[in-house]
Amino acid sequence: MKYTIIGLLALSLFGCSLSVPHPPIAKQTKNLFDNDSDGVINQRDHCAKTPLDAVVDNDGCPTYVDSSEENSIHVLFANDSSEIPENYMQNIKQMSAFLAKYPKTHIELKGYASPVGNANYNVALSKRRASVIRQALINEGVTPARIKTVGFGDSDPVKTSDIEESNTLSRRVIAQLIGYQENIVKEWTVYTVREN
């Protein structure tokens, strides 16, 4: 009887299978890599080349803020002249730097003349004035296709109480620009260096 119980016990132990079935193999159907290291996997990333330090949304796209800045050019000329006075060259250099900062911005140079002499001559003079400012900007590195010139002649004199002052201020080339740019919001880390 004693051997029978041991035998049944042994039989029951050896009758159980000691092998475990193979676990199911998961088939990966999604791309779980994060090529641009922005914390969003490639499968969900709608902006594949996010800058490393950008703040991103759930789609892996950076956050942008719009910024704008104004600049102007105002050059006065001597009577019957299209030669740029030397003291205006700094204004032209500043406009060139502004256009370099905002590469999608175009400029329209508006040339004027004083209401002295022949109206047709004044139109041609105002065009020459705008053209010399255009060439000065090109010399400073601005792409020619970004600059348009218009000559208005003596059609819009500057109004003052003194005729001579009005004529002096009317011999001009002007342009007013607003530069727009989207800047990426950057995340702060312990490695971030503040700009002075």
Side-chain angles (χ1 to χ4, degrees), residues 8-192:
L8 283 172
L9 187 58
L11 252 166
S12 64
L13 285 176
F14 290 117
C16 293
S17 172
L18 295 177
S19 65
V20 177
H22 293 289
I25 297 173
K27 184 177 179 188
Q28 184 175 326
T29 59
K30 308 291 184 202
N31 185 350
L32 300 178
F33 293 107
D34 180 13
N35 290 345
D36 58 0
S37 301
D38 62 358
V40 178
I41 61 170
N42 294 345
Q43 182 66 27
R44 284 189 17 234
D45 203 336
H46 294 287
C47 300
K49 294 184 180 175
T50 307
L52 192 59
D53 56 353
V55 172
V56 296
D57 59 17
N58 287 337
D59 295 324
C61 294
T63 304
Y64 290 94
V65 290
D66 290 333
S67 65
S68 65
E69 186 179 357
E70 289 187 35
N71 200 349
S72 63
I73 212 166
H74 192 128
V75 178
L76 297 178
F77 292 85
N79 185 40
D80 197 22
S81 172
S82 59
E83 184 177 330
I84 302 170
E86 186 60 37
N87 57 320
Y88 289 103
M89 291 309 295
Q90 186 59 36
N91 187 213
I92 292 167
K93 288 179 181 180
Q94 288 171 345
M95 181 56 76
S96 170
F98 181 83
L99 288 166
K101 183 176 180 181
Y102 297 99
K104 294 181 181 176
T105 303
H106 290 68
I107 186 169
E108 181 178 80
L109 298 167
K110 300 174 182 178
Y112 296 91
S114 59
V116 177
N118 181 287
N120 289 334
Y121 179 82
N122 286 340
V123 169
L125 177 60
S126 67
K127 288 179 180 177
R128 284 196 307 274
R129 287 174 173 165
S131 292
V132 297
I133 300 297
R134 177 182 187 270
Q135 188 57 52
L137 286 169
I138 291 168
N139 293 347
E140 290 294 325
V142 180
T143 306
R146 297 176 62 197
I147 310 168
K148 180 180 176 184
T149 60
V150 182
F152 291 99
D154 55 21
S155 64
D156 188 20
V158 174
K159 300 199 180 352
T160 67
S161 58
D162 180 60
I163 297 281
E164 191 54 43
E165 182 184 15
S166 173
N167 288 340
T168 300
L169 296 176
S170 296
R171 303 170 187 130
R172 69 202 189 275
V173 170
I174 59 172
Q176 184 76 30
L177 291 179
I178 298 177
Y180 292 99
Q181 188 170 332
E182 285 186 329
N183 294 315
I184 293 175
V185 177
K186 296 182 177 181
E187 64 183 351
W188 184 89
T189 70
V190 293
Y191 303 107
T192 302

